[in-house]
């Protein structure tokens, strides 16, 4: 039965309480260790007796009734008669001893010891403890049985009757056993009271009996080996794995194998830009032209959007699939799709452009390697997006700070201005200056004219004569294809950031997100942080090899071994051997954006890192530094004004998981926002007051 | 709060007999009573009586009046409970001199506060608390996808009534019923909190602040739900709901909501709104002309000495300081500024604005003219 009970976490006091209760409430047959009536007993199948099977066949004939009958006598001799009062004292002492020793010592030993020491608690515990070690080794089963099966012994009011009954019971059942086969007999011996049998051979069981029991004891101890040992050591509050997987895996080899077949590099692309620049339409049309969206679906969207009088949104509907997004015509959250080009697998993230949803855009852009910046070329619109509070500006700064290395600028809606080359050049020159100031080198920026709605110059080279006349550069797709994929750190310890939690098909929980470093395959055991619990990966679904996910991939993991409440957006899954650090305070180097209110000690802001969003407070301004050289200009400044850089200490309201920028670039970058404006971008330089996660990793 | 009696000597010692009416008054009392003061109030005490022979009979609870010298005070903001611990200083049948006792300050029961020195700030505080026109109740609901707070804002405090945290799956799945279901669950929980915690008889307005369209959607849901449930109170008070934009749904978004000009106008008599404006002014000044905005005692004191302080922002935490000398220091500063014609605003540390002010040392000043020398003098000294 040990398999069904969580022996390790067994609260003995509670167990005994149950034992008392049972007389009041009655109990199901399942957790009945001694039978209610002797006749019922023989029909009960005891799993704990399984170990005896084979032995029993051999010694079938040698089981003699006298042997069993002898035991009660033995017992009587070992147990002096106690008065009621003494019995009560004995019971309370036993309980206390048990709470100290757990179930490692047989009750009998306890009793004798207590009697020897004349009901002195301290002395008896000492004696027992001194004995405990050898005793435990000698009688592993005994410990087991006593741990759970001696309830009736504790509830001694029943005891005298039981003893009287015993001879009867055993006789009748052995008799039955003989007639109906060996398997019955197994149950008989064991169920005639596990504890008694064990106790019996303390003294003088017959040679054969001894052999049987010893071997069965041995087997039991093997079976229960795992559960038995923790009983000795103090129970651990949380059981955490130490390794991600048992067999070591050559990740590089697996990785190259998975790459070898397709030969295409993965690239994460985020589409950003001012609200209504046409990001979703362009993305949707691109996917449609790439054949990712079926003709039928597109036709459906066309009809439905026409119905609401928003036909121009038909391609955007490919990305915007929720009701509110469609009815309002605004992207609210990041949409993800994957498609393949000639040389690349592109994971495209369509970010929202509206100011209110920048937190969502940050969580999307943080997962991207490169970006597609969409600007509206029509008169007045480009300028609106480029004003001080336009999203073109803010997004460009955000993606640079979030580590995007290359940008393709899609000059969209150029058809509205009759494919004017002059307009295109004008926009290009304005943006070139701006993007340089943000930190993109001109070699990292490509400009492509296009029209998202009509689909001009997205996949196929331009057909429009007005555009053909002056443009011969790449299409949007070519430009994406030409961008460089970053290297993927598959050898690093696993770090998976959770950006979505939902219930999977088979009632298992699923988490979606991006694996920043390392490698995860189904069956892995990972650590969920900052919640700190163990999690098992049941299944991995991702665009690369089935059942595995490599650094850089976004995918969905089906997980088990965790309560749904424990999973939350912003948590991380990581390698239990090398967990992330959990902290509430950290030191960081920040660059202050163009803000009205400067950053001072005590500034409250929202801290954004990947999908994490937590309120944070600036604890200390450590120094103001030169933006480009990084040398300290002023120690302990009073304020960090706009366009300056500095080193600060941040405190978060709840513990989160971070890495220093040095260790993991993706997880060391963050943004500070306040009242809807991004006030600073930062890199984590040090994790302060960190609770370097250790309790699980080192304890087991 | 009500004042029944006051008696002040020339040396400013004396006592007040007060009665607290509601939870907010407790907060005022908490700010009035500081360690070292004496408090007389009725309380219950478990008393064990000894007979002549030395045997004790069973303990019984006795109602008695006790006068304590206060050692510590405890305020529970969510329950609005104030507990005062101290030693007995008055002969009594039931408690020895010097014996410890802890009492709850009960609403609607008179109590007396004795102080060796009543300062102007405390007296002003009592008078303000007794002014019924200064009570304006306001509620705020801040929402972002999956996270919402329901708070009550009174003139002196912001009390978080409930926090709702529901995981909402993201878009982009073929089957978005889960998302819809969880959204409904989310709104349902906010609505339940609204029904439970908001009393529309005293509330002037309910701010619903969120980014995007969540506030509209929630209000629609609430009205629909109230119609279905026949909740008249909500339906009749529809006009009290004010939709405001905020960039997120954390609790500090209330500050953003109160800054909204439309709201500010409507709530001009809510103390929190005035505080918000002033704090924002200070912070903006700190960005544009830092020589006119200072924070930290040392800097502000120097500005005050030069009669430069136009507006002083002080958090009430400073007046609760255990250190008597420190408390007196800040009181002196406030009086100095007042005498020089400056405006003094005492921020409640239970408001989000007060929380922010506390973070920047608790005292800040907007100056009449630039004083760059303050900062220059300070080079290389301790933390501001």
């Amino acid at each position: 039965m040990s398999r069904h009970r969580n022996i390790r976490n067994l609260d003995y006091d509670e167990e005994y309480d149950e034992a008392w209760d049972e007389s009041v409430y009655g109990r199901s047959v399942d957790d009945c260790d001694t039978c209610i009536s002797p006749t019922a007993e023989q029909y009960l199948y005891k799993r704990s007796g399984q170990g005896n099977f084979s032995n029993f066949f051999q010694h079938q004939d040698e089981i003699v009734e006298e042997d069993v009958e002898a035991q009660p006598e033995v017992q009587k001799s070992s147990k002096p008669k106690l008065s009621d009062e003494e019995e009560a004292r004995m019971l309370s002492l036993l309980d206390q001893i048990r709470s100290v020793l757990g179930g490692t010592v047989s009750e009998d030993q306890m009793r004798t010891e207590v009697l020897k020491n004349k009901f002195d608690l301290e002395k008896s515990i000492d004696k027992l403890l001194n004995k405990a070690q050898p005793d435990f080794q000698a009688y592993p089963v005994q410990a087991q049985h006593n741990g759970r099966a001696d309830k009736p012994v504790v509830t001694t009011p029943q005891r005298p009757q039981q003893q009287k009954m015993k001879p009867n019971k055993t006789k009748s059942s052995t008799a039955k056993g003989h007639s109906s086969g060996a398997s019955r007999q197994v149950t008989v011996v064991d169920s005639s009271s596990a504890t008694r049998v064990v106790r019996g051979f303390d003294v003088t069981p017959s040679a054969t009996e001894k052999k049987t029991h010893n071997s069965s004891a041995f087997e039991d101890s093997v079976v229960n080996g795992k559960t038995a040992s923790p009983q000795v050591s103090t129970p651990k509050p949380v059981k955490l794995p130490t390794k991600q997987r048992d067999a070591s895996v050559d990740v590089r080899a697996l990785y190259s194998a998975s790459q070898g077949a397709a030969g295409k590099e993965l690239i994460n692309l985020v589409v950003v830009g001012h609200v209504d620049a046409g990001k979703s339409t362009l993305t949707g049309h691109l996917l449609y032209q790439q054949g990712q969206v079926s003709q039928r679906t597109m036709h459906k969207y066309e009809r439905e959007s026409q119905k609401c009088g928003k036909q121009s949104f038909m391609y955007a509907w490919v990305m915007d699939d929720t009701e509110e997004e469609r009815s309002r015509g605004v992207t609210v959250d990041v949409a993800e799709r994957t498609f393949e080009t000639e040389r690349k697998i592109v994971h495209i993230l369509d970010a929202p452009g509206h100011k209110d949803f920048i937190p969502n855009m940050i969580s999307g852009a943080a997962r991207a390697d490169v970006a597609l910046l969409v600007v509206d070329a029509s008169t007045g619109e480009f300028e609106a997006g480029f004003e001080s509070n336009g999203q073109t500006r803010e997004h460009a700064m955000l993606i640079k700070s979030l580590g995007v290395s290359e940008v393709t600028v899609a000059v969209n809606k150029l058809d509205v201005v009759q494919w004017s080359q002059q307009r295109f050049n004008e926009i290009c020159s304005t943006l070139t200056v701006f993007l340089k100031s943000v930190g993109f080198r001109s070699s990292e920026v490509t400009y492509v004219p296009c029209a998202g709605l009509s689909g001009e110059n997205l996949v196929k080279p331009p057909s429009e004569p007005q555009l053909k006349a002056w443009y011969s550069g790449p299409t949007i797709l070519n430009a994406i294809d030409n961008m460089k994929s970053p290297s993927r750190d598959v050898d690093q310890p696993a770090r998976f950031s959770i950006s979505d939690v939902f219930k999977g098909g088979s009632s298992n929980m699923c988490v979606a997100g991006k694996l920043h470093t390392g490698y995860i395959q189904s069956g892995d055991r990972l650590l969920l942080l900052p919640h700190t619990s163990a999690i098992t990966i049941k299944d991995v679904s991702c665009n690369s090899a089935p059942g595995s996910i490599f650094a850089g991939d976004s995918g969905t993991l089906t997980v088990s071994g965790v309560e749904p409440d424990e999973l939350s957006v912003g948590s991380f899954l990581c390698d239990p051997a090398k967990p992330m650090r959990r902290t509430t305070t950290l030191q960081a180097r920040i660059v202050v954006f163009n803000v009205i209110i400067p950053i001072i000690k005590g500034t409250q802001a929202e801290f954004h890192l990947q999908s994490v969003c937590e309120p944070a407070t600036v604890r200390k301004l450590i120094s103001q530094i030169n933006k480009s050289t990084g040398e300290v200009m002023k120690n302990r400044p009073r304020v960090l004004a706009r366009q300056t850089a500095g080193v600060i200490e941040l405190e978060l309201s709840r513990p989160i998981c971070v890495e220093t920028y040095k260790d993991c670039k993706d997880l060391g970058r963050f943004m500070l926002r306040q009242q809807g404006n991004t006030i600073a971008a930062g890199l984590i330089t040090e994790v302060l007051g960190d609770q370097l996660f250790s309790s699980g990793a080192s304890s087991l | 709060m009500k004042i029944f009696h006051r008696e002040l000597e020339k040396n400013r010692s004396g006592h007040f007999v007060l009665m607290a009416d509601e939870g907010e008054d407790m907060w005022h009392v908490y700010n009035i009573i500081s360690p070292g003061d004496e408090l007389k109030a009725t309380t219950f005490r478990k008393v064990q009586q000894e007979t002549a022979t030395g045997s004790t009979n069973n303990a019984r609870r006795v109602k008695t009046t006790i006068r304590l010298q206060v050692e510590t005070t405890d305020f529970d903001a969510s329950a609005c409970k104030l507990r005062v611990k101290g030693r007995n200083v008055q002969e009594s049948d039931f408690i020895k001199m010097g014996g410890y006792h802890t009492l709850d300050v009960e609403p609607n029961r008179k109590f007396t506060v004795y102080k060796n020195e009543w300062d102007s700030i405390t007296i002003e505080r009592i008078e303000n608390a007794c002014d019924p026109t200064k009570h304006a109740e306001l509620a705020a609901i801040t929402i972002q996808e999956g996270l919402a707070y329901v708070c009550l804002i009174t003139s002196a405090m912001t009390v978080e009534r409930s926090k709702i945290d529901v995981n909402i799956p993201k878009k982009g799945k073929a089957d978005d019923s889960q998302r819809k279901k969880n959204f409904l669950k989310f709104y349902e929980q906010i609505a339940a909190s609204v029904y439970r915690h908001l009393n529309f008889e005293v509330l002037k307005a309910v701010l619903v602040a969120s980014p995007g369209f969540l506030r509209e959607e929630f209000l629609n849901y609430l009205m629909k739900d109230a119609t279905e449930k026949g909740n008249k109170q909500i339906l009749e008070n529809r006009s009290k709901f004010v939709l405001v934009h905020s960039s997120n749904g954390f609790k500090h978004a209330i500050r953003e909501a109160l800054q909204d000009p439309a709201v500010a106008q409507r709530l001009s008599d809510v103390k929190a709104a005035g505080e918000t404006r002033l704090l924002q002014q200070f912070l903006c000044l700190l960005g544009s002309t830092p020589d006119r905005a200072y924070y930290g005692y040392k800097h502000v004191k120097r500005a005050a000495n030069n009669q430069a302080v136009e507006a002083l922002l002080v958090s009430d935490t400073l007046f609760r300081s255990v250190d008597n000398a420190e408390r007196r220091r800040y009181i002196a500063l406030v009086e100095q500024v007042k005498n020089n014609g400056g405006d003094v605003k005492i921020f409640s540390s239970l408001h989000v604005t007060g929380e922010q002010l506390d973070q920047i040392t608790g005292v800040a000043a907007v100056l009449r003219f630039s004083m760059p020398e303050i900062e220059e003098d300070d080079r290389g000294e301790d933390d501001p």
Side-chain angles (χ1 to χ4, degrees):
Chain A
M1 294 260 248
S2 58
R3 288 200 290 144
H4 299 289
R5 288 205 178 197
N6 197 352
I7 298 282
R8 238 174 300 188
N9 299 330
L10 197 68
D11 181 354
Y12 288 102
D13 290 338
E14 210 171 279
E15 285 290 301
Y16 293 123
D17 285 345
E18 266 175 31
W20 286 107
D21 285 344
E22 74 205 18
S23 55
V24 186
Y25 298 117
R27 53 216 286 243
S28 74
V29 178
D30 266 353
D31 41 33
C32 196
D33 292 314
T34 29
C35 282
I36 310 109
S37 79
T39 37
E41 185 174 328
Q42 61 197 349
Y43 294 107
L44 286 179
Y45 178 65
K46 290 281 175 185
R47 271 178 203 282
S48 51
Q50 268 181 343
N52 297 3
F53 260 76
S54 55
N55 307 320
F56 230 84
F57 284 119
Q58 288 167 12
H59 307 285
Q60 203 175 357
D61 303 336
E62 285 157 353
I63 299 252
V64 245
E65 287 178 17
E66 299 90 68
D67 189 26
V68 184
E69 265 185 321
Q71 283 171 21
E73 281 169 24
V74 168
Q75 214 174 10
K76 267 172 210 153
S77 68
S78 76
K79 208 150 286 178
K81 198 89 178 133
L82 294 173
S83 73
D84 281 359
E85 197 188 333
E86 277 173 328
E87 185 63 41
R89 268 176 80 188
M90 168 70 81
L91 283 179
S92 80
L93 277 177
L94 286 184
D95 271 355
Q96 285 177 41
I97 294 173
R98 244 178 238 120
S99 69
V100 177
L101 301 178
T104 50
V105 184
S106 80
E107 209 218 18
D108 223 43
Q109 282 175 310
M110 287 194 236
R111 277 177 176 271
T112 37
E113 210 55 57
V114 170
L115 285 176
K116 257 191 224 159
N117 292 300
K118 304 204 175 65
F119 296 96
D120 185 328
L121 177 69
E122 288 297 312
K123 267 190 199 165
S124 355
I125 290 182
D126 282 352
K127 285 268 169 62
L128 283 168
L129 271 178
N130 291 336
K131 269 191 188 174
Q133 204 47 41
D135 279 356
F136 179 72
Q137 280 165 358
Y139 306 116
V141 179
Q142 195 171 332
Q144 276 293 316
H145 283 307
N146 276 321
R148 56 203 159 80
D150 59 354
K151 279 179 206 155
V153 185
V154 184
T155 57
T156 16
Q158 300 170 351
R159 151 108 25 120
Q161 292 170 346
Q162 243 181 29
Q163 282 180 350
K164 260 180 240 155
M165 246 185 259
K166 241 174 263 160
N168 262 346
K169 204 202 301 178
T170 32
K171 253 179 213 158
S172 69
S173 47
T174 25
K176 251 250 160 92
H178 275 299
S179 59
S180 65
S183 65
R184 268 287 146 65
Q185 276 180 332
V186 177
T187 58
V188 169
V189 170
D190 203 65
S191 62
S192 63
S193 171
T195 44
R196 243 178 289 127
V197 171
V198 176
R199 234 186 267 128
F201 70 91
D202 270 319
V203 201
T204 44
S206 74
T208 46
E209 188 64 35
K210 191 170 192 171
K211 203 172 164 193
T212 315
H213 281 288
N214 275 346
S215 56
S216 79
F218 172 68
E219 271 177 41
D220 249 27
S221 77
V222 171
V223 172
N224 295 326
K226 270 180 197 161
T227 44
S229 61
Q231 275 191 328
V232 192
S233 66
T234 49
K236 294 280 169 350
V238 215
K239 187 199 156 211
L240 295 164
T242 43
K243 277 193 291 183
Q244 186 174 343
R245 60 185 81 86
D246 296 326
S248 67
V249 170
D250 185 359
V251 179
R252 270 285 157 205
L254 273 175
Y255 175 58
S256 43
S258 79
Q259 291 300 294
K264 290 181 181 179
E265 286 176 313
L266 176 98
I267 195 162
N268 289 298
L269 173 88
V270 66
V271 186
V272 296
H274 191 60
V275 62
D276 285 339
K279 293 175 294 299
S280 301
T281 301
L282 188 143
T283 317
H285 206 152
L286 192 69
L287 287 172
Y288 174 59
Q289 290 193 358
Q290 274 293 97
Q292 295 289 312
V293 187
S294 71
Q295 202 96 35
R296 214 178 104 219
T297 327
M298 212 57 244
H299 183 68
K300 196 178 102 199
Y301 290 158
E302 190 177 352
R303 249 199 357 256
E304 283 173 9
S305 58
Q306 219 159 10
K307 231 183 265 171
C308 347
K310 290 182 182 166
Q311 206 194 348
S312 64
F313 282 96
M314 60 181 270
Y315 292 111
W317 282 22
V318 174
M319 307 306 287
D320 298 349
D321 46 15
T322 65
E323 225 173 78
E324 59 172 329
E325 285 181 326
R326 287 187 182 175
S327 62
R328 299 192 190 258
V330 173
T331 308
V332 172
D333 209 342
V334 176
E336 299 173 46
R337 291 284 192 286
T338 307
F339 65 91
E340 291 187 20
T341 64
E342 248 172 75
R343 282 176 286 159
K344 293 219 159 57
I345 299 168
V346 183
H347 187 73
I348 198 164
L349 300 136
D350 175 36
H354 195 282
K355 201 170 185 277
D356 276 358
F357 310 121
I358 287 188
N360 296 341
M361 177 263 171
I362 290 176
S363 75
R367 288 151 60 190
D369 312 314
V370 294
L372 182 68
L373 177 66
V374 183
V375 294
D376 189 340
S378 50
T379 328
E381 288 299 319
F382 169 71
E383 286 74 12
F386 201 63
E387 271 168 19
S388 64
N389 55 1
Q391 282 353 275
T392 309
R393 226 170 235 282
E394 185 160 11
H395 279 189
M397 289 198 289
L398 283 171
I399 54 172
K400 180 65 203 175
S401 323
L402 287 168
V404 165
S405 57
E406 252 183 288
V407 184
T408 299
V409 179
V411 183
N412 197 14
K413 305 194 191 176
L414 212 57
D415 50 345
V416 181
V417 288
Q418 282 77 46
W419 301 105
S420 151
Q421 188 180 5
Q422 194 199 343
R423 178 70 176 162
F424 178 74
N425 288 340
E426 189 188 313
I427 289 170
C428 290
S429 57
T430 323
L431 278 177
T432 311
V433 177
F434 170 66
L435 289 177
K436 205 169 261 173
S437 77
V438 168
F440 288 105
R441 268 168 281 156
S442 46
S443 60
E444 293 165 348
V445 186
T446 325
Y447 296 90
V448 182
C450 66
L453 189 57
S454 62
E456 200 64 31
N457 204 23
L458 293 184
V459 173
K460 286 170 229 120
S463 53
E464 189 68 43
Q466 273 172 306
L467 178 61
K468 250 204 273 188
W470 55 269
Y471 185 76
S472 57
T475 60
I476 294 282
L477 198 69
N478 295 141
I480 292 171
D481 218 10
N482 289 336
M483 291 202 266
K484 281 192 282 295
S485 296
S487 61
R488 300 165 70 176
D489 304 323
V490 287
D491 304 328
Q492 299 289 315
R495 301 279 183 266
F496 184 89
S497 72
I498 299 176
S499 59
D500 191 9
V501 178
F502 55 97
K503 211 173 255 164
S506 56
S507 84
N508 269 320
M509 291 306 289
C510 291
V511 296
K514 185 186 174 186
L515 184 65
H516 295 281
T517 55
Y519 162 73
I520 295 176
Q521 64 184 25
S522 0
D524 279 0
R525 290 182 298 275
L526 296 175
L527 200 60
L528 175 72
L529 285 177
H531 197 279
T532 319
S533 48
I535 212 167
T536 311
I537 307 300
K538 298 272 264 195
D539 192 19
V540 176
S541 86
C542 160
N543 39 24
S544 54
S548 59
I549 177 168
F550 296 98
D553 278 330
S554 292
T556 305
L557 310 179
T558 310
V559 299
S560 72
V562 72
E563 292 295 315
D565 295 351
E566 295 174 9
L567 294 164
S568 64
V569 171
S571 294
F572 286 90
L573 295 179
C574 59
D575 187 343
K578 288 179 190 137
M580 289 175 77
R581 305 218 272 177
R582 199 170 65 159
T583 185
T584 53
T585 40
L586 44 94
Q587 202 185 76
R589 218 171 60 219
I590 58 163
V591 177
V592 184
F593 285 2
N594 211 345
V595 290
I596 303 163
I597 301 168
I599 293 181
I600 55 179
K601 178 185 166 189
T603 298
Q604 293 169 328
E606 293 97 57
F607 175 92
H608 292 265
L609 180 140
Q610 295 297 332
S611 324
V612 182
C613 176
E614 280 295 324
T617 312
V618 177
R619 273 272 149 262
K620 234 187 247 169
L621 302 182
I622 295 168
S623 61
Q624 185 177 344
I625 55 175
N626 187 305
K627 240 177 150 177
S628 42
T629 62
E631 81 189 71
V632 177
M633 291 162 71
K634 191 176 173 188
N635 270 322
R636 267 180 291 144
R638 201 165 68 97
V639 294
L640 283 179
R642 67 174 73 172
Q643 310 291 10
T644 57
V647 179
I648 61 163
E649 202 179 299
L650 270 178
E651 186 176 326
L652 290 124
S653 57
R654 279 197 299 192
I656 57 155
C657 287
V658 293
E659 291 270 8
T660 57
Y661 181 69
K662 214 168 61 233
D663 293 339
C664 180
K665 287 201 166 77
D666 277 357
L667 306 179
R669 287 194 189 95
F670 66 90
M671 294 284 151
L672 287 180
R673 287 173 57 79
Q674 189 182 48
Q675 311 201 351
N677 297 305
T678 306
I679 58 170
L683 307 174
I684 297 167
T685 51
E686 228 174 290
V687 179
L688 299 167
D690 63 319
Q691 309 146 3
L692 181 64
F693 181 78
S694 59
S695 65
S698 61
S699 61
L700 281 171
Chain B
M1 193 132 80
K2 291 190 192 77
I3 304 180
F4 287 92
H5 180 68
R6 74 169 89 185
E7 204 170 297
L8 289 177
E9 306 289 335
K10 273 237 169 81
N11 64 359
R12 298 220 266 181
S13 66
H15 66 265
F16 273 76
V17 180
L18 306 168
M19 184 163 99
D21 298 325
E22 49 179 4
E24 194 186 336
D25 289 339
M26 288 300 164
W27 170 246
H28 290 302
V29 177
Y30 174 58
N31 277 285
I32 292 164
I33 301 174
S34 40
D37 296 348
E38 284 174 20
L39 174 73
K40 194 163 95 182
T42 35
T43 182
F44 290 92
R45 187 175 169 90
K46 213 187 233 176
V47 179
Q48 213 166 32
Q49 269 175 335
E50 206 170 299
T51 59
T53 54
S55 69
T56 51
N57 54 2
N58 281 343
R60 61 197 175 94
R61 284 166 66 80
V62 204
K63 185 181 170 190
T64 178
T65 308
I66 192 170
R67 183 162 160 175
L68 294 174
Q69 179 155 39
V70 178
E71 285 194 356
T72 51
T73 50
D74 257 315
F75 183 71
D76 176 359
S78 53
C80 287
K81 283 263 185 206
L82 175 64
R83 287 170 77 79
V84 180
K85 181 187 154 196
R87 305 180 78 147
N88 184 23
V89 290
Q90 201 174 42
E91 286 292 354
S92 148
D93 291 344
F94 304 111
I95 175 166
K96 285 191 200 126
M97 285 290 281
Y100 274 100
H101 186 78
T102 305
L103 60 85
D104 278 344
V105 178
E106 304 276 348
N108 303 321
R109 277 228 178 93
K110 279 192 213 170
F111 59 90
T112 316
V113 183
Y114 301 84
K115 268 182 191 286
N116 288 331
E117 193 184 344
W118 285 90
D119 53 68
S120 59
I121 292 166
T122 319
I123 295 175
E124 198 181 292
R125 180 153 205 144
I126 296 178
E127 276 161 5
N128 276 340
C130 294
D131 183 354
T133 58
K134 292 201 172 161
H135 288 260
E137 292 250 0
L138 187 67
I141 307 168
T142 57
I143 312 174
Q144 76 182 31
E145 200 171 302
L147 179 74
Y149 284 90
V150 177
C151 299
L152 278 180
I153 306 170
T154 64
S155 69
M157 50 202 235
T158 303
V159 186
E160 178 188 322
R161 276 284 162 237
S162 56
K163 177 188 174 191
I164 293 118
D165 195 347
V166 172
N167 171 47
I168 295 177
K170 293 275 159 58
K171 71 172 192 178
K173 290 170 203 75
D175 165 33
D176 70 340
S177 62
Q178 238 183 82
R179 184 181 158 85
K180 277 185 193 157
K181 209 173 79 191
N182 286 22
F183 244 117
L184 271 188
K185 201 168 104 193
F186 179 53
Y187 287 147
E188 193 182 294
Q189 287 186 16
I190 308 175
S193 170
V194 168
Y195 299 147
R196 192 173 319 134
H197 296 300
L198 305 189
N199 175 6
F200 285 89
E201 276 162 28
V202 292
L203 280 180
K204 277 197 166 173
V206 181
L207 303 182
V208 185
S210 82
F213 324 107
L214 289 169
R215 51 182 181 274
E216 290 163 35
E217 267 167 32
F218 169 68
L219 191 62
N220 288 344
Y221 172 85
L222 184 69
M223 290 307 152
K224 214 178 91 202
D225 193 53
T227 318
E228 276 168 16
K229 289 193 174 130
N231 189 329
K232 263 198 195 145
Q233 216 190 17
I234 300 269
L235 296 172
E236 281 166 6
N237 288 294
R238 195 193 166 124
S239 58
K240 283 189 182 169
F241 286 88
V242 187
L243 300 180
V244 214
H245 174 265
S246 73
S247 62
N248 57 60
F250 293 113
K251 202 174 140 193
H252 59 243
I254 294 177
R255 209 174 109 204
E256 226 175 298
L258 288 175
Q259 259 167 39
D260 192 295
V263 177
Q265 211 177 19
R266 199 167 160 165
L267 307 167
S268 49
D269 51 348
V270 175
K271 192 174 168 229
E275 286 175 3
T276 313
R277 259 196 314 276
L278 191 59
L279 184 67
Q280 190 65 16
Q281 188 197 349
F282 168 77
L283 292 173
C284 289
L285 218 53
L286 202 57
S288 54
T289 46
D291 299 339
R292 277 189 61 205
Y294 281 97
Y295 63 92
Y297 178 76
K298 216 184 297 167
H299 287 175
V300 173
K301 180 72 183 167
R302 209 170 295 175
N305 287 343
N306 287 301
Q307 309 201 351
V309 179
E310 185 181 301
L312 182 70
L313 299 76
V314 211
S315 158
D316 59 11
T317 342
L318 299 173
F319 304 118
R320 281 200 308 274
S321 164
V322 190
D323 180 4
N324 230 326
E326 195 185 326
R327 211 157 53 205
R328 221 168 276 143
R329 212 163 54 145
Y330 283 105
I331 292 167
L333 178 67
V334 169
E335 278 166 3
Q336 187 186 9
V337 172
K338 267 189 191 161
N339 291 338
N340 293 335
D343 186 18
V344 178
K345 272 260 191 291
I346 296 173
F347 283 55
S348 167
S349 52
L350 278 188
H351 277 316
V352 275
T353 46
E355 261 170 47
Q356 169 72 85
L357 188 63
D358 266 345
Q359 298 293 344
I360 54 171
T361 72
V363 57
V366 176
L367 307 197
R368 295 195 173 94
F369 46 84
S370 295
M371 287 189 68
E373 61 271 20
I374 291 183
E375 200 190 350
E376 278 155 25
D377 287 356
D378 200 45
R379 282 282 156 86
E381 275 186 41
D382 297 343
D383 275 7

